[in-house]
Amino acid sequence: MYRYDTVVIGSGPAGLAAASAISAGGGKVAVLEANGYPGGQLNKQIHKFFGSARVCAGIRGFRLGEKLFSEAKDRGAEFFFNMTAYSMEKCDKGYLVCGANGEKTFEFFGTSVVIAVGAGENAAVFPGWTKPGVITAGAAQTLVNQYGVKCGERVVILGAGNVGLIVSYQLLQTGIRVEAVVEAAREIGGYEVHANKIKRAGVPIYTSHTIVRAEGEDRVEKAVIAAVDQKFDQIPGTEFEIPADTICIAVGLSPLVKNGAQAGTALTRRPGKKEIIPDFDDTMMTSLPGVFVAGDTAGVEEASIALEEGLKAGEYVLSYLGLKTREAADAKAEEIKSRLFALRKKVTRRGELPSAKDYEAFDRTKAVIECCQGIACNPCEASCPVGAITIGGEITNVPKLDLRACIGCGRCVTACPGMACFLVNLNYSEELSEIGIPYEYLPLPKVGDKVRALDRQGRFVCQGEVTAVKDMKADKTWLLKLAVPKAFAFEVRGIDFWRLEQ
């Protein structure tokens, strides 16, 4: 039997953060991970994170996983990979967690336990949903981001939450055509900036629509779509077909609660949600003394929130173990709770798209910020070398740009996780303006290339010529500049990367 102060089940952002905090405070920690690598869902996430630049914003998910793992390991946490925790029970002065690695079984005793096993993907049932070619968003991410295997050539995504929108963009980056994103609700559930990224690539988003069936002989060959009413009932006569070899389901997640429930933790319905979660208090401790939860197990939210919850649980584990006073844990937790409050704050602030009139007086390059939805994020502000971008005291404020102070360096363009910052020089020449856009596709265009310039909806606007391709040392986000006719300076926001050869 292996004996530890704490057994952490799961090495996603919550588990890694908890293990790191407990180890740093003097606790002996074992981390059990069912996969052969740490990071959990972070390994599939190649996009940059929102949040505070001081914590994890602007860092790609898999790099954040590497960073958190390194920190926890350096602080003394011991990791057991390919170790599935299949049993957990209360025993004298602690808990016995049994694990298996496919060949042997192991027993881990922990005075305390942190359950951070995340959530599982929900299914969507429709005629043909069991055909080869119907997969989940997580499966698609695993294939393309971890194994470098295309999940298909033409994909329809069901679900326009952040997961559906992010996966759509990542599939585009691999050269897969995303034919459509379909969402039954009247509005998308994810951030506008995520939706705008795929719109600029020409991907239509059908709200108030759903997939009514998948058709094909031996596998998916088409998705049949129809409009739905406010009760989500199909509207007769609205069906249409979209050719596709893959349907990717992204209709939400459900917390994984079996580990704790097996040991006797009480379960409850999350307030205002349909999710069933462990019943836990403000210290993240469940109804079982010494058993804590964090991350999506405690309720499905963003990875940045899971990280903060892991830190919070870690503080109170140290208090439970007697390695830190309750007062000291409370003080640290207050800092964490203030960050959690900012991250969870309902987005109500709205901004307007800037207009060409604001830029007519300037004869040099200036930034254009099109982040109109208040998001808990500040890398644009943190990256500006002259302080021209201000978010203010609340991280959900819409960014404000001081055009007179802006030097047009482009750092905000490649730092923005939402890819909602651009550059414009209205007076590049007598007839042309120069536009700067963030670019994360391959192949990279070359200076002098003639390209098809697209608007915010992915529609062809005009021909442009590439004037610069700059590596801003922003982790594979390039700054692409192109010259376009002046009349289209505030319309062009992308290029047709499918036709770079033309």
Side-chain angles (χ1 to χ4, degrees):
M1 180 186 295
Y2 297 86
R3 292 184 174 272
Y4 293 88
D5 294 317
T6 306
V7 176
V8 176
I9 306 176
S11 72
L16 289 174
S20 187
I22 298 165
S23 297
K28 186 180 179 183
V29 179
V31 182
L32 312 187
E33 171 54 57
N35 293 308
Y37 45 81
Q41 296 300 312
L42 292 175
N43 288 286
K44 305 175 184 180
Q45 297 172 350
I46 63 172
H47 59 283
K48 295 178 182 177
F49 272 65
F50 293 117
S52 170
R54 292 183 301 176
V55 182
C56 63
I59 301 176
R60 298 194 187 277
F62 70 97
R63 297 198 189 282
L64 177 60
E66 292 170 353
K67 176 177 179 290
L68 294 174
F69 171 60
S70 179
E71 289 176 352
K73 190 175 180 181
D74 289 346
R75 290 172 175 174
E78 297 179 40
F79 287 80
F80 296 83
F81 296 113
N82 297 309
M83 185 67 68
T84 300
Y86 67 86
S87 155
M88 174 179 161
E89 61 181 276
K90 187 171 176 31
C91 57
D92 186 38
K93 298 182 180 180
Y95 298 87
L96 182 66
V97 179
C98 295
N101 66 359
E103 298 177 355
K104 298 180 180 180
T105 58
F106 300 82
E107 294 182 338
F108 299 86
F109 172 85
T111 305
S112 60
V113 176
V114 177
I115 302 174
V117 292
E121 293 184 277
N122 296 335
V125 178
F126 46 81
W129 77 290
T130 60
K131 287 182 181 292
V134 179
I135 62 174
T136 64
Q141 279 190 313
T142 300
L143 286 170
V144 300
N145 294 342
Q146 288 187 262
Y147 300 120
V149 176
K150 285 187 176 182
C151 63
E153 295 295 336
R154 306 179 72 178
V155 177
V156 172
I157 305 283
L158 178 60
N162 280 328
V163 172
L165 298 173
I166 288 169
V167 171
S168 297
Y169 178 69
Q170 293 173 358
L171 296 183
L172 290 171
Q173 289 178 297
T174 69
I176 296 171
R177 286 189 177 272
V178 178
E179 299 292 345
V181 175
V182 182
E183 171 57 56
R186 298 177 66 181
E187 297 181 354
I188 64 169
Y191 289 132
E192 286 181 7
V193 289
H194 286 321
N196 292 340
K197 285 190 292 186
I198 64 171
K199 285 180 181 178
R200 292 196 296 268
V203 178
I205 300 176
Y206 297 102
T207 54
S208 296
H209 282 74
T210 192
I211 295 177
V212 295
R213 64 183 177 275
E215 294 186 349
E217 291 295 328
D218 298 323
R219 59 162 298 120
V220 172
E221 295 175 7
K222 65 181 71 171
V224 181
I225 313 300
V228 296
D229 59 23
Q230 293 184 359
K231 295 181 179 179
F232 302 109
D233 293 326
Q234 181 181 341
I235 299 174
T238 62
E239 289 189 6
F240 62 96
E241 298 176 352
I242 300 179
D245 58 20
T246 305
I247 294 173
C248 186
I249 298 173
V251 293
L253 306 167
S254 294
L256 297 175
V257 299
K258 291 181 180 179
N259 293 92
Q262 185 182 49
T265 59
L267 300 178
T268 186
R269 187 176 296 278
R270 187 179 175 194
K273 303 284 185 178
K274 296 181 180 180
E275 299 170 355
I276 299 299
I277 60 173
D279 192 6
F280 61 93
D281 62 20
D282 192 50
T283 71
M284 308 302 295
M285 188 162 70
T286 68
S287 58
L288 291 178
V291 177
F292 298 76
V293 291
D296 284 355
T297 301
V300 177
E301 297 185 81
E302 300 290 330
S304 52
I305 289 177
L307 189 157
E308 296 287 4
E309 285 186 341
L311 293 175
K312 183 181 176 185
E315 290 300 315
Y316 285 114
V317 167
L318 289 173
S319 174
Y320 179 83
L321 294 172
L323 298 172
K324 174 177 280 193
T325 66
R326 177 59 185 265
E327 290 75 18
D330 284 339
K332 192 69 176 179
E334 282 302 314
E335 299 174 15
I336 297 169
K337 284 193 284 187
S338 66
R339 296 196 296 267
L340 283 169
F341 177 80
L343 290 169
R344 287 173 168 146
K345 192 168 184 180
K346 186 177 180 180
V347 176
T348 57
R349 296 180 175 86
R350 305 291 303 182
E352 300 294 331
L353 288 175
S355 68
K357 290 183 179 180
D358 300 324
Y359 292 77
E360 289 174 349
F362 301 99
D363 58 0
R364 59 181 297 182
T365 301
K366 298 289 182 178
V368 179
I369 299 180
E370 297 190 357
C371 178
C372 299
Q373 181 184 29
I375 296 173
C377 188
N378 68 357
C380 60
E381 180 185 54
S383 67
C384 183
V386 295
I389 302 174
T390 304
I391 288 179
E394 294 191 35
I395 199 171
T396 52
N397 288 339
V398 174
K400 294 185 180 299
L401 173 66
D402 182 348
L403 278 173
R404 295 188 179 278
C406 176
I407 59 175
C409 65
R411 293 184 186 179
C412 60
V413 178
T414 54
C416 174
M419 301 179 76
C421 294
F422 306 88
L423 295 179
V424 63
N425 181 353
L426 285 180
N427 301 303
Y428 181 66
S429 71
E430 287 189 11
E431 298 180 348
L432 301 174
S433 293
E434 187 180 54
I435 309 299
I437 63 174
Y439 196 81
E440 293 186 339
Y441 298 106
L442 290 175
L444 284 173
K446 301 183 295 294
V447 173
D449 282 355
K450 301 295 192 297
V451 295
R452 289 164 48 87
L454 309 178
D455 67 7
R456 296 178 184 88
Q457 303 301 317
R459 298 171 298 209
F460 172 73
V461 175
C462 62
Q463 188 179 67
E465 180 175 338
V466 178
T467 58
V469 182
K470 292 188 174 183
D471 182 358
M472 303 291 287
K473 308 300 181 185
D475 198 4
K476 305 302 181 181
T477 303
W478 293 72
L479 174 61
L480 179 67
K481 291 187 176 183
L482 55 148
V484 300
K486 283 189 174 182
F488 304 119
F490 269 77
E491 291 186 46
V492 173
R493 288 297 177 265
I495 67 169
D496 189 347
F497 61 93
W498 296 106
R499 295 187 175 92
L500 285 182
E501 70 278 4
Q502 298 180 9

